[in-house]
């Protein structure tokens, strides 16, 4: 495997984890959202990753295959005086679980950091290799 392939593999992971962090941020921003005028609430989204071949050397990277909406029902809260309450007095909130999203954010952040560290280590090794020839 070429040292430059490491940059492709880690770069694909960094890009995918950045998209994952964006989705998590969107979920957390809408955690307390209620149904809009159309009756639809925000539904949490989750990233689906896919392995992709990188080059001719058998190495594999990752890319975002799809972003799926959760089918879980929204949280219902009895609040008859709320402007968004339905006929029974319930307000439907988004189905985002903030604790789950925080764990997801920490995991994505760690994966991002690890891949950046892999690229920094590869860069350092390449620079040391170039210095050996001097």
């Amino acid at each position: 495997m070429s040292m430059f392939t490491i940059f492709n593999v880690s770069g694909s992971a960094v890009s995918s984890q950045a998209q994952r962090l964006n989705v998590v941020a969107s979920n957390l921003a809408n955690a307390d959202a209620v149904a809009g005028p159309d009756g639809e609430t925000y539904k949490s989204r989750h990233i689906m990753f896919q392995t992709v071949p990188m080059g001719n050397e058998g190495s594999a990277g990752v890319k975002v295959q799809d972003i799926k909406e959760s089918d879980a029902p929204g949280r219902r809260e009895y609040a008859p005086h709320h402007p968004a309450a339905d006929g029974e007095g319930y307000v439907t909130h988004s189905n985002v679980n903030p604790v789950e999203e925080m764990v997801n954010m920490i995991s994505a952040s760690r994966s991002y950091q690890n891949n950046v560290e892999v690229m920094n280590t590869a860069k350092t090794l390449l620079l040391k290799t170039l210095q050996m020839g001097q």
Side-chain angles (χ1 to χ4, degrees):
M1 177 190 303
S2 165
M3 285 292 286
F4 296 110
T5 305
I6 293 171
F7 292 108
N8 291 336
V9 172
S10 288
S12 72
V14 165
S15 175
S16 296
Q17 293 302 329
Q19 287 181 333
R20 181 179 172 195
L21 283 168
N22 285 336
V23 169
V24 169
S26 178
N27 286 344
L28 285 171
N30 290 290
D32 290 328
V34 297
D38 61 352
E40 294 292 319
T41 59
Y42 179 85
K43 294 184 178 188
S44 67
R45 292 167 172 83
H46 302 284
I47 296 268
M48 305 300 288
F49 293 114
Q50 177 182 7
T51 304
V52 292
M54 293 285 198
N56 298 331
E57 300 166 353
S59 59
V62 64
K63 76 172 189 171
V64 174
Q65 178 185 21
D66 196 11
I67 299 175
K68 300 268 186 188
E69 278 190 354
S70 172
D71 291 333
R75 179 176 51 89
R76 290 179 48 117
E77 178 181 299
Y78 185 71
H81 300 296
H82 193 281
D86 61 11
E88 298 173 357
Y90 285 94
V91 177
T92 304
H93 293 270
S94 71
N95 62 355
V96 175
N97 181 345
V99 174
E100 181 182 316
E101 294 302 324
M102 290 300 291
V103 170
N104 204 1
M105 180 184 68
I106 291 168
S107 174
S109 177
R110 297 281 185 207
S111 295
Y112 187 96
Q113 290 171 347
N114 288 339
N115 281 290
V116 168
E117 190 60 33
V118 166
M119 287 192 286
N120 284 334
T121 301
K123 180 186 86 170
T124 301
L125 289 173
L126 283 169
L127 288 173
K128 296 257 185 215
T129 303
L130 289 174
Q131 289 173 354
M132 285 174 49
Q134 293 180 347

